[in-house]
mmCIF file of all heavy atoms in Angstrom:
data_model
loop_
_atom_site.group_PDB
_atom_site.id
_atom_site.type_symbol
_atom_site.label_atom_id
_atom_site.label_comp_id
_atom_site.label_asym_id
_atom_site.label_seq_id
_atom_site.Cartn_x
_atom_site.Cartn_y
_atom_site.Cartn_z
ATOM 1 N N VAL A 349 -3.732 200.445 142.594
ATOM 2 C CA VAL A 349 -4.556 199.544 141.775
ATOM 3 C C VAL A 349 -5.020 198.373 142.618
ATOM 4 O O VAL A 349 -6.143 197.888 142.469
ATOM 5 C CB VAL A 349 -3.811 199.087 140.492
ATOM 6 C CG1 VAL A 349 -2.618 198.196 140.796
ATOM 7 C CG2 VAL A 349 -4.750 198.338 139.556
ATOM 8 N N GLY A 350 -4.150 197.904 143.534
ATOM 9 C CA GLY A 350 -4.504 196.779 144.387
ATOM 10 C C GLY A 350 -5.552 197.210 145.406
ATOM 11 O O GLY A 350 -5.470 198.299 145.988
ATOM 12 N N ASP A 352 -6.649 194.945 147.895
ATOM 13 C CA ASP A 352 -6.665 193.887 148.900
ATOM 14 C C ASP A 352 -6.774 194.439 150.317
ATOM 15 O O ASP A 352 -7.053 193.695 151.250
ATOM 16 C CB ASP A 352 -5.424 193.004 148.752
ATOM 17 C CG ASP A 352 -4.165 193.820 148.617
ATOM 18 O OD1 ASP A 352 -3.907 194.368 147.519
ATOM 19 O OD2 ASP A 352 -3.441 193.955 149.598
ATOM 20 N N LEU A 373 -0.226 203.212 136.283
ATOM 21 C CA LEU A 373 1.007 202.720 136.920
ATOM 22 C C LEU A 373 1.565 201.469 136.251
ATOM 23 O O LEU A 373 2.598 200.937 136.672
ATOM 24 C CB LEU A 373 0.759 202.452 138.421
ATOM 25 C CG LEU A 373 -0.473 201.650 138.846
ATOM 26 C CD1 LEU A 373 -0.652 200.360 138.153
ATOM 27 C CD2 LEU A 373 -0.482 201.485 140.339
ATOM 28 N N THR A 374 0.909 201.020 135.194
ATOM 29 C CA THR A 374 1.272 199.729 134.595
ATOM 30 C C THR A 374 2.725 199.701 134.115
ATOM 31 O O THR A 374 3.499 198.796 134.455
ATOM 32 C CB THR A 374 0.311 199.422 133.424
ATOM 33 O OG1 THR A 374 -0.994 199.247 133.971
ATOM 34 C CG2 THR A 374 0.722 198.173 132.671
ATOM 35 N N THR A 377 5.384 199.997 136.895
ATOM 36 C CA THR A 377 5.501 198.779 137.708
ATOM 37 C C THR A 377 6.210 197.674 136.926
ATOM 38 O O THR A 377 7.009 196.904 137.480
ATOM 39 C CB THR A 377 4.112 198.334 138.202
ATOM 40 O OG1 THR A 377 3.454 199.454 138.789
ATOM 41 C CG2 THR A 377 4.222 197.228 139.234
ATOM 42 N N VAL A 425 3.114 185.106 136.099
ATOM 43 C CA VAL A 425 1.947 184.556 136.810
ATOM 44 C C VAL A 425 0.963 185.697 137.011
ATOM 45 O O VAL A 425 1.187 186.585 137.839
ATOM 46 C CB VAL A 425 2.373 183.928 138.157
ATOM 47 C CG1 VAL A 425 1.157 183.313 138.856
ATOM 48 C CG2 VAL A 425 3.451 182.860 137.938
ATOM 49 N N GLY A 426 -0.114 185.699 136.197
ATOM 50 C CA GLY A 426 -1.097 186.786 136.228
ATOM 51 C C GLY A 426 -0.912 187.672 135.006
ATOM 52 O O GLY A 426 -0.225 188.696 135.080
ATOM 53 N N MET A 427 -1.510 187.249 133.883
ATOM 54 C CA MET A 427 -1.317 188.022 132.643
ATOM 55 C C MET A 427 -2.389 189.101 132.530
ATOM 56 O O MET A 427 -3.331 189.019 131.742
ATOM 57 C CB MET A 427 -1.357 187.081 131.429
ATOM 58 C CG MET A 427 -1.016 187.759 130.106
ATOM 59 S SD MET A 427 0.550 188.647 130.107
ATOM 60 C CE MET A 427 1.676 187.370 129.530
ATOM 61 N N GLY A 428 -2.230 190.127 133.363
ATOM 62 C CA GLY A 428 -3.138 191.272 133.293
ATOM 63 C C GLY A 428 -2.394 192.440 132.664
ATOM 64 O O GLY A 428 -1.532 192.258 131.792
ATOM 65 N N ARG A 429 -2.719 193.651 133.140
ATOM 66 C CA ARG A 429 -2.097 194.848 132.558
ATOM 67 C C ARG A 429 -0.586 194.846 132.775
ATOM 68 O O ARG A 429 0.191 195.030 131.822
ATOM 69 C CB ARG A 429 -2.714 196.106 133.199
ATOM 70 C CG ARG A 429 -4.165 196.330 132.827
ATOM 71 C CD ARG A 429 -4.796 197.398 133.680
ATOM 72 N NE ARG A 429 -4.982 196.939 135.034
ATOM 73 C CZ ARG A 429 -6.165 196.805 135.637
ATOM 74 N NH1 ARG A 429 -7.264 197.154 135.009
ATOM 75 N NH2 ARG A 429 -6.263 196.355 136.873
ATOM 76 N N ILE A 430 -0.145 194.626 134.022
ATOM 77 C CA ILE A 430 1.297 194.665 134.298
ATOM 78 C C ILE A 430 1.978 193.441 133.674
ATOM 79 O O ILE A 430 3.081 193.543 133.131
ATOM 80 C CB ILE A 430 1.538 194.755 135.821
ATOM 81 C CG1 ILE A 430 0.947 196.063 136.356
ATOM 82 C CG2 ILE A 430 3.026 194.668 136.150
ATOM 83 C CD1 ILE A 430 0.862 196.153 137.881
ATOM 84 N N GLY A 431 1.292 192.313 133.724
ATOM 85 C CA GLY A 431 1.837 191.102 133.105
ATOM 86 C C GLY A 431 2.141 191.328 131.633
ATOM 87 O O GLY A 431 3.224 190.984 131.138
ATOM 88 N N HIS A 449 0.826 182.064 133.107
ATOM 89 C CA HIS A 449 -0.260 181.331 133.746
ATOM 90 C C HIS A 449 -1.224 182.380 134.259
ATOM 91 O O HIS A 449 -0.817 183.317 134.961
ATOM 92 C CB HIS A 449 0.277 180.487 134.905
ATOM 93 C CG HIS A 449 -0.812 179.928 135.745
ATOM 94 N ND1 HIS A 449 -1.637 178.912 135.306
ATOM 95 C CD2 HIS A 449 -1.257 180.262 136.976
ATOM 96 C CE1 HIS A 449 -2.522 178.647 136.247
ATOM 97 N NE2 HIS A 449 -2.318 179.450 137.269
ATOM 98 N N SER A 450 -2.489 182.267 133.876
ATOM 99 C CA SER A 450 -3.455 183.273 134.292
ATOM 100 C C SER A 450 -4.826 182.640 134.381
ATOM 101 O O SER A 450 -5.018 181.505 133.955
ATOM 102 C CB SER A 450 -3.453 184.434 133.298
ATOM 103 O OG SER A 450 -3.824 185.626 133.922
ATOM 104 N N GLN A 451 -5.773 183.396 134.934
ATOM 105 C CA GLN A 451 -7.125 182.841 135.075
ATOM 106 C C GLN A 451 -7.746 182.533 133.723
ATOM 107 O O GLN A 451 -8.472 181.579 133.576
ATOM 108 C CB GLN A 451 -8.012 183.855 135.808
ATOM 109 C CG GLN A 451 -7.989 183.712 137.299
ATOM 110 C CD GLN A 451 -8.737 184.857 137.961
ATOM 111 O OE1 GLN A 451 -8.759 185.980 137.446
ATOM 112 N NE2 GLN A 451 -9.335 184.599 139.092
ATOM 113 N N ARG A 452 -7.456 183.408 132.767
ATOM 114 C CA ARG A 452 -8.049 183.233 131.432
ATOM 115 C C ARG A 452 -6.961 183.296 130.378
ATOM 116 O O ARG A 452 -5.942 183.970 130.566
ATOM 117 C CB ARG A 452 -9.052 184.372 131.146
ATOM 118 C CG ARG A 452 -10.368 184.229 131.882
ATOM 119 C CD ARG A 452 -11.365 185.317 131.511
ATOM 120 N NE ARG A 452 -10.906 186.659 131.881
ATOM 121 C CZ ARG A 452 -10.402 187.552 131.040
ATOM 122 N NH1 ARG A 452 -10.293 187.287 129.752
ATOM 123 N NH2 ARG A 452 -10.018 188.727 131.467
ATOM 124 N N LYS A 454 -5.217 184.572 127.034
ATOM 125 C CA LYS A 454 -5.174 185.902 126.423
ATOM 126 C C LYS A 454 -4.616 185.762 125.003
ATOM 127 O O LYS A 454 -3.426 186.022 124.761
ATOM 128 C CB LYS A 454 -4.259 186.827 127.241
ATOM 129 C CG LYS A 454 -4.720 187.093 128.670
ATOM 130 C CD LYS A 454 -5.842 188.117 128.686
ATOM 131 C CE LYS A 454 -6.419 188.376 130.047
ATOM 132 N NZ LYS A 454 -5.678 189.265 130.893
ATOM 133 N N THR A 481 2.510 188.731 139.181
ATOM 134 C CA THR A 481 1.754 189.979 138.941
ATOM 135 C C THR A 481 0.252 189.729 139.145
ATOM 136 O O THR A 481 -0.568 190.345 138.474
ATOM 137 C CB THR A 481 2.018 190.524 137.521
ATOM 138 O OG1 THR A 481 1.728 189.492 136.578
ATOM 139 C CG2 THR A 481 3.438 190.956 137.332
ATOM 140 N N VAL A 482 -0.061 188.827 140.043
ATOM 141 C CA VAL A 482 -1.480 188.578 140.378
ATOM 142 C C VAL A 482 -1.916 189.507 141.514
ATOM 143 O O VAL A 482 -1.090 189.922 142.329
ATOM 144 C CB VAL A 482 -1.706 187.115 140.848
ATOM 145 C CG1 VAL A 482 -1.756 186.149 139.692
ATOM 146 C CG2 VAL A 482 -0.673 186.702 141.887
ATOM 147 N N PRO A 483 -3.205 189.800 141.594
ATOM 148 C CA PRO A 483 -3.691 190.519 142.789
ATOM 149 C C PRO A 483 -3.710 189.563 143.974
ATOM 150 O O PRO A 483 -3.792 188.341 143.774
ATOM 151 C CB PRO A 483 -5.124 190.912 142.416
ATOM 152 C CG PRO A 483 -5.427 190.316 141.105
ATOM 153 C CD PRO A 483 -4.298 189.482 140.647
ATOM 154 N N LEU A 484 -3.677 190.082 145.187
ATOM 155 C CA LEU A 484 -3.835 189.227 146.369
ATOM 156 C C LEU A 484 -5.324 188.942 146.554
ATOM 157 O O LEU A 484 -6.138 189.858 146.591
ATOM 158 C CB LEU A 484 -3.283 189.930 147.610
ATOM 159 C CG LEU A 484 -3.470 189.166 148.918
ATOM 160 C CD1 LEU A 484 -2.708 187.849 148.904
ATOM 161 C CD2 LEU A 484 -3.026 190.019 150.097
ATOM 162 N N SER A 485 -5.647 187.659 146.649
ATOM 163 C CA SER A 485 -7.050 187.257 146.840
ATOM 164 C C SER A 485 -7.040 185.896 147.514
ATOM 165 O O SER A 485 -5.970 185.319 147.732
ATOM 166 C CB SER A 485 -7.761 187.144 145.478
ATOM 167 O OG SER A 485 -7.225 186.028 144.765
ATOM 168 N N SER A 487 -7.681 183.246 146.165
ATOM 169 C CA SER A 487 -7.112 182.252 145.244
ATOM 170 C C SER A 487 -5.605 182.423 145.034
ATOM 171 O O SER A 487 -4.952 181.545 144.482
ATOM 172 C CB SER A 487 -7.834 182.286 143.894
ATOM 173 O OG SER A 487 -7.448 183.416 143.148
ATOM 174 N N THR A 488 -5.036 183.544 145.462
ATOM 175 C CA THR A 488 -3.595 183.733 145.227
ATOM 176 C C THR A 488 -2.777 183.776 146.525
ATOM 177 O O THR A 488 -1.549 183.726 146.476
ATOM 178 C CB THR A 488 -3.313 185.038 144.441
ATOM 179 O OG1 THR A 488 -3.806 186.142 145.194
ATOM 180 C CG2 THR A 488 -3.942 185.012 143.062
ATOM 181 N N LEU A 491 0.101 181.257 147.008
ATOM 182 C CA LEU A 491 0.172 180.532 145.717
ATOM 183 C C LEU A 491 1.547 179.896 145.505
ATOM 184 O O LEU A 491 1.673 178.813 144.947
ATOM 185 C CB LEU A 491 -0.132 181.527 144.581
ATOM 186 C CG LEU A 491 -0.293 180.988 143.167
ATOM 187 C CD1 LEU A 491 -1.568 180.146 143.054
ATOM 188 C CD2 LEU A 491 -0.366 182.149 142.150
ATOM 189 N N ILE A 509 6.322 191.349 142.410
ATOM 190 C CA ILE A 509 5.878 192.753 142.410
ATOM 191 C C ILE A 509 4.367 192.815 142.652
ATOM 192 O O ILE A 509 3.742 193.821 142.344
ATOM 193 C CB ILE A 509 6.255 193.494 141.103
ATOM 194 C CG1 ILE A 509 5.787 192.718 139.870
ATOM 195 C CG2 ILE A 509 7.736 193.771 141.045
ATOM 196 C CD1 ILE A 509 5.929 193.494 138.562
ATOM 197 N N SER A 510 3.792 191.727 143.178
ATOM 198 C CA SER A 510 2.336 191.736 143.383
ATOM 199 C C SER A 510 2.011 192.098 144.830
ATOM 200 O O SER A 510 1.857 193.276 145.166
ATOM 201 C CB SER A 510 1.725 190.401 142.964
ATOM 202 O OG SER A 510 2.201 189.325 143.744
ATOM 203 N N ARG A 511 1.956 191.098 145.699
ATOM 204 C CA ARG A 511 1.761 191.325 147.125
ATOM 205 C C ARG A 511 2.544 190.252 147.868
ATOM 206 O O ARG A 511 2.637 189.105 147.417
ATOM 207 C CB ARG A 511 0.278 191.224 147.510
ATOM 208 C CG ARG A 511 -0.576 192.413 147.081
ATOM 209 C CD ARG A 511 -0.213 193.686 147.845
ATOM 210 N NE ARG A 511 -1.090 194.809 147.523
ATOM 211 C CZ ARG A 511 -0.800 195.763 146.645
ATOM 212 N NH1 ARG A 511 0.344 195.740 145.977
ATOM 213 N NH2 ARG A 511 -1.646 196.772 146.447
ATOM 214 N N ASP A 535 9.708 193.185 145.881
ATOM 215 C CA ASP A 535 9.274 194.562 146.145
ATOM 216 C C ASP A 535 8.200 194.597 147.224
ATOM 217 O O ASP A 535 7.869 195.673 147.733
ATOM 218 C CB ASP A 535 8.718 195.169 144.845
ATOM 219 C CG ASP A 535 8.396 196.651 144.980
ATOM 220 O OD1 ASP A 535 9.237 197.382 145.548
ATOM 221 O OD2 ASP A 535 7.315 197.076 144.531
ATOM 222 N N VAL A 536 7.656 193.430 147.534
ATOM 223 C CA VAL A 536 6.510 193.370 148.457
ATOM 224 C C VAL A 536 6.726 192.241 149.455
ATOM 225 O O VAL A 536 7.357 191.223 149.134
ATOM 226 C CB VAL A 536 5.204 193.152 147.651
ATOM 227 C CG1 VAL A 536 4.784 194.413 146.939
ATOM 228 C CG2 VAL A 536 5.348 192.006 146.654
ATOM 229 N N HIS A 559 8.582 198.376 148.356
ATOM 230 C CA HIS A 559 7.280 198.545 147.691
ATOM 231 C C HIS A 559 7.288 199.804 146.804
ATOM 232 O O HIS A 559 6.478 200.723 146.989
ATOM 233 C CB HIS A 559 6.143 198.609 148.722
ATOM 234 C CG HIS A 559 4.800 198.259 148.160
ATOM 235 N ND1 HIS A 559 3.856 197.527 148.839
ATOM 236 C CD2 HIS A 559 4.228 198.538 146.960
ATOM 237 C CE1 HIS A 559 2.775 197.389 148.100
ATOM 238 N NE2 HIS A 559 2.979 198.003 146.931
ATOM 239 N N ILE A 560 8.227 199.790 145.845
ATOM 240 C CA ILE A 560 8.390 200.974 144.973
ATOM 241 C C ILE A 560 7.879 200.724 143.560
ATOM 242 O O ILE A 560 8.251 201.444 142.618
ATOM 243 C CB ILE A 560 9.873 201.406 144.875
ATOM 244 C CG1 ILE A 560 10.768 200.228 144.450
ATOM 245 C CG2 ILE A 560 10.348 202.047 146.165
ATOM 246 C CD1 ILE A 560 12.129 200.639 143.932
ATOM 247 N N GLY A 561 7.044 199.694 143.403
ATOM 248 C CA GLY A 561 6.570 199.342 142.052
ATOM 249 C C GLY A 561 6.149 200.548 141.228
ATOM 250 O O GLY A 561 6.551 200.700 140.075
ATOM 251 N N SER A 562 5.337 201.419 141.818
ATOM 252 C CA SER A 562 4.799 202.561 141.061
ATOM 253 C C SER A 562 5.438 203.877 141.491
ATOM 254 O O SER A 562 4.958 204.947 141.115
ATOM 255 C CB SER A 562 3.291 202.640 141.297
ATOM 256 O OG SER A 562 3.030 202.833 142.682
HETATM 257 N N1 NAD B 226 4.665 196.465 143.713
HETATM 258 C C1 NAD B 226 3.849 197.460 143.494
HETATM 259 O O1 NAD B 226 4.071 198.592 143.885
HETATM 260 C C2 NAD B 226 2.605 197.224 142.686
HETATM 261 C C3 NAD B 226 2.193 198.208 141.776
HETATM 262 C C4 NAD B 226 1.056 197.962 141.031
HETATM 263 C C5 NAD B 226 0.345 196.769 141.190
HETATM 264 N N2 NAD B 226 0.786 195.857 142.085
HETATM 265 C C6 NAD B 226 0.057 194.579 142.252
HETATM 266 O O2 NAD B 226 -0.098 193.995 140.967
HETATM 267 C C7 NAD B 226 -1.418 193.492 140.865
HETATM 268 C C8 NAD B 226 -1.803 193.372 139.415
HETATM 269 O O3 NAD B 226 -2.042 194.633 138.828
HETATM 270 P P1 NAD B 226 -2.646 194.723 137.338
HETATM 271 O O4 NAD B 226 -2.981 196.135 137.094
HETATM 272 O O5 NAD B 226 -1.767 194.019 136.375
HETATM 273 O O6 NAD B 226 -3.999 193.883 137.548
HETATM 274 P P2 NAD B 226 -4.826 193.068 136.475
HETATM 275 O O7 NAD B 226 -6.145 192.811 137.096
HETATM 276 O O8 NAD B 226 -4.780 193.749 135.154
HETATM 277 O O9 NAD B 226 -4.013 191.689 136.321
HETATM 278 C C9 NAD B 226 -4.050 190.655 137.224
HETATM 279 C C10 NAD B 226 -4.119 189.343 136.452
HETATM 280 O O10 NAD B 226 -4.001 188.249 137.364
HETATM 281 C C11 NAD B 226 -4.929 187.251 136.978
HETATM 282 N N3 NAD B 226 -5.248 186.410 138.123
HETATM 283 C C12 NAD B 226 -6.038 186.710 139.180
HETATM 284 N N4 NAD B 226 -6.109 185.653 140.025
HETATM 285 C C13 NAD B 226 -5.335 184.685 139.485
HETATM 286 C C14 NAD B 226 -5.017 183.353 139.878
HETATM 287 N N5 NAD B 226 -5.523 182.826 140.996
HETATM 288 N N6 NAD B 226 -4.190 182.641 139.088
HETATM 289 C C15 NAD B 226 -3.702 183.159 137.953
HETATM 290 N N7 NAD B 226 -3.987 184.409 137.514
HETATM 291 C C16 NAD B 226 -4.793 185.162 138.277
HETATM 292 C C17 NAD B 226 -6.133 188.033 136.465
HETATM 293 O O11 NAD B 226 -6.945 187.227 135.633
HETATM 294 C C18 NAD B 226 -5.450 189.161 135.714
HETATM 295 O O12 NAD B 226 -5.204 188.800 134.377
HETATM 296 C C19 NAD B 226 -2.246 194.471 141.703
HETATM 297 O O13 NAD B 226 -3.457 193.894 142.150
HETATM 298 C C20 NAD B 226 -1.318 194.798 142.848
HETATM 299 O O14 NAD B 226 -1.512 193.893 143.904
HETATM 300 C C21 NAD B 226 1.889 196.056 142.846
#
Side-chain angles (χ1 to χ4, degrees):
V349 67
D352 47 283
L373 48 51
T374 295
T377 310
V425 182
M427 186 54 91
R429 292 169 289 243
I430 297 168
H449 169 72
S450 208
Q451 271 172 328
R452 285 184 297 103
K454 297 282 176 80
T481 54
V482 281
L484 177 63
S485 69
S487 75
T488 60
L491 188 68
I509 52 171
S510 63
R511 286 292 184 262
D535 187 45
V536 286
H559 202 141
I560 53 163
S562 61

